[in-house]
Amino acid sequence: MQTLWRNAAAMLALLAGANEALADEKEAWSVFVSDHAAPTITAIDAVSGEKIGTFPVKGPATLHRSASGRAVFAVQGTAGTVTAISSGIAFDDHGDHGDIDVAAPKLTGTEIAGEKPSHFVEHGGEFAAFFDGEGVARIISEKAVLQGMADFREVKTAAPQHGLAVAYGSHVLLSEPNREKPDELPIGIRTVDQSGRQVGDIVQCPDLHGEAFSGNILVFACATGLLVVKDGEGAPEITHLPYADSLPDGKSTTLIGGRGLQYFLGNYGADKVVLIDPTAENDAFRLVELPTRRVYFTADPVRPKFAYLFTEDGQLHQLDVVTGKIANSLKLTDPYSMDGHWSDPRPRVAVAGDRIVVTDPLIGVLHLVDAASFEKAGEIAVEGKPFNIVAVGGSGRTHETE
């Protein structure tokens, strides 16, 4: 018996060594860029700068990526559809390491149609697309999307509205429309179960607009503060976090959530942002003043300590979310004034590994910034007016079998 175990152990060691020898480390990052006017999505290898795919859609699109990075969604508000793209990059967790599989990006075949799609929210591998013109949320899983299916379920609200929905386990959180003034923002959150039956009371949230996840916490932005959502017994637990008295008059309407560090970052006036820690007993809000008006901001998923803000003077700023101070600033583009229409073409920002990528729609360029040195690292030319951008990728092992 001892000989049997020794032989088995030797064989396992030999196989492990062979697997190690066949495994190579690979890093892959892709960015997906929508055009401001044309119904086109361009996929670019962020490492080589080469174009790896062009995807026709039905209208100009706002882009969202799934948490896994396997899917990218193009929400086309004017064209009334949401189109799914397989990023071509997938990871398989093996505990002590992860494998990476890289293929060409492609349309999955999944499209979700409806009137005026707007907010698009993921939780737990389920995506809720809200269609303002109908007051309806259509919810679909990432598994169905990657299989090219349109296997969604619908959850209806009381009326058309500029609203949102979040699939939250066996429940769905839905914005409650302002029935007296249907053209205005929603007034609260309604929780429904799998049968569509309301659970508990409607939680008030005047001027509801904006939501984000960070870790296991979901927040909604209201005129009075934030609604903070956590797991509860039998249903999501929702509490209200009022804005601090020390803040000036204002409110957040756009929120992003930190990854790696649990925090939220929201707009607060034209030239300010606010850092939010909903778990803090005191000083949950920290105001950060900017040199000029804000154009866009995003969190760094690779370096959790930082977030990035682009301002109308053409500068990219590195915000240290721990100290609440701007650590570095870099001039990248000509000025992009915030005067004019809200939807005018202006830069957007994404993080692709060790590169920060900034779109410059007026000259058709992606600016690359080295995240470590915070210095310019090159440019990638893109036809048209590159506007919205998302990045997917990472590193892992590949196993050659030949």
Side-chain angles (χ1 to χ4, degrees):
M1 181 63 71
Q2 289 182 346
T3 301
L4 175 63
W5 282 114
R6 281 197 298 269
N7 289 341
M11 181 60 70
L12 288 171
L14 182 63
L15 289 172
N19 284 334
E20 289 291 328
L22 290 172
D24 291 320
E25 291 289 334
K26 183 179 180 66
E27 183 173 16
W29 286 93
S30 298
V31 293
F32 292 78
V33 185
S34 65
D35 191 90
H36 184 265
T40 302
I41 312 297
T42 302
I44 297 169
D45 185 318
V47 178
S48 68
E50 296 180 357
K51 183 168 71 173
I52 54 176
T54 302
F55 306 102
V57 288
K58 295 178 179 177
T62 299
L63 300 180
H64 301 265
R65 53 153 288 174
S66 66
S68 72
R70 298 185 68 187
V72 173
F73 297 87
V75 179
Q76 303 142 71
T78 58
T81 191
V82 179
T83 302
I85 302 169
S86 169
S87 72
I89 299 177
F91 297 91
D92 189 14
D93 182 16
H94 290 280
D96 62 337
H97 73 278
D99 288 350
I100 185 172
D101 182 49
V102 181
K106 63 181 181 180
L107 294 168
T108 71
T110 297
E111 286 196 337
I112 307 172
E115 295 181 38
K116 297 182 180 179
S118 58
H119 281 258
F120 188 87
V121 185
E122 177 187 4
H123 181 237
E126 288 196 301
F127 309 93
F130 195 88
F131 292 83
D132 289 359
E134 303 169 68
V136 171
R138 296 186 170 97
I139 300 170
I140 192 168
S141 70
E142 183 170 50
K143 181 179 180 181
V145 165
L146 292 173
Q147 292 176 348
M149 301 168 63
D151 185 16
F152 58 82
R153 56 192 172 102
E154 287 189 350
V155 184
K156 297 182 178 181
T157 65
Q161 55 175 307
H162 182 47
L164 56 82
V166 181
Y168 200 99
S170 60
H171 295 82
V172 179
L173 304 174
L174 296 163
S175 57
E176 179 68 12
N178 187 331
R179 303 193 190 198
E180 296 180 0
K181 299 178 180 179
D183 291 338
E184 296 190 0
L185 290 172
I187 60 169
I189 289 291
R190 178 194 299 266
T191 302
V192 300
D193 62 17
Q194 288 179 313
S195 66
R197 184 175 54 227
Q198 181 175 325
V199 177
D201 297 328
I202 295 171
V203 182
Q204 296 301 305
C205 181
D207 292 349
L208 168 61
H209 190 278
E211 83 297 319
F213 277 95
S214 182
N216 62 346
I217 296 179
L218 164 67
V219 296
F220 297 103
C222 318
T224 55
L226 303 184
L227 294 186
V228 181
V229 184
K230 300 179 181 178
D231 292 341
E233 290 191 16
E237 178 184 286
I238 305 176
T239 57
H240 182 251
L241 176 65
Y243 291 125
D245 293 337
S246 59
L247 292 174
D249 288 341
K251 62 179 181 178
S252 289
T253 56
T254 299
L255 295 165
I256 60 171
R259 295 176 65 183
L261 288 176
Q262 193 167 63
Y263 72 91
F264 296 91
L265 182 64
N267 62 325
Y268 202 90
D271 59 354
K272 301 175 184 65
V273 292
V274 63
L275 283 162
I276 307 159
D277 179 1
T279 66
E281 294 183 3
N282 299 296
D283 299 325
F285 299 88
R286 287 185 294 164
L287 199 65
V288 180
E289 298 198 16
L290 305 175
T292 56
R293 289 179 294 185
R294 175 203 66 259
V295 174
Y296 189 77
F297 55 97
T298 192
D300 190 329
V302 181
R303 287 153 291 273
K305 180 181 177 181
F306 295 117
Y308 304 106
L309 307 104
F310 190 89
T311 50
E312 64 178 351
D313 56 359
Q315 290 197 89
L316 179 69
H317 306 277
Q318 183 188 60
L319 175 65
D320 186 324
V321 301
V322 177
T323 65
K325 299 182 181 301
I326 293 176
N328 290 290
S329 298
L330 178 65
K331 174 74 172 177
L332 279 183
T333 74
D334 289 338
Y336 276 87
S337 173
M338 289 301 290
D339 291 330
H341 197 277
W342 67 268
S343 64
D344 286 344
R346 298 182 181 97
R348 299 290 185 261
V349 185
V351 180
D354 293 330
R355 294 286 188 268
I356 307 159
V357 188
V358 181
T359 63
D360 196 343
L362 295 185
I363 65 171
V365 160
L366 306 182
H367 298 282
L368 306 179
V369 176
D370 184 277
S373 65
F374 211 70
E375 295 177 351
K376 295 180 182 180
E379 296 179 349
I380 300 173
V382 180
E383 293 180 3
K385 294 183 177 181
F387 184 42
N388 272 278
I389 183 171
V390 294
V392 299
S395 60
R397 289 180 178 175
T398 61
H399 295 274
E400 300 294 338
T401 56
E402 295 182 359

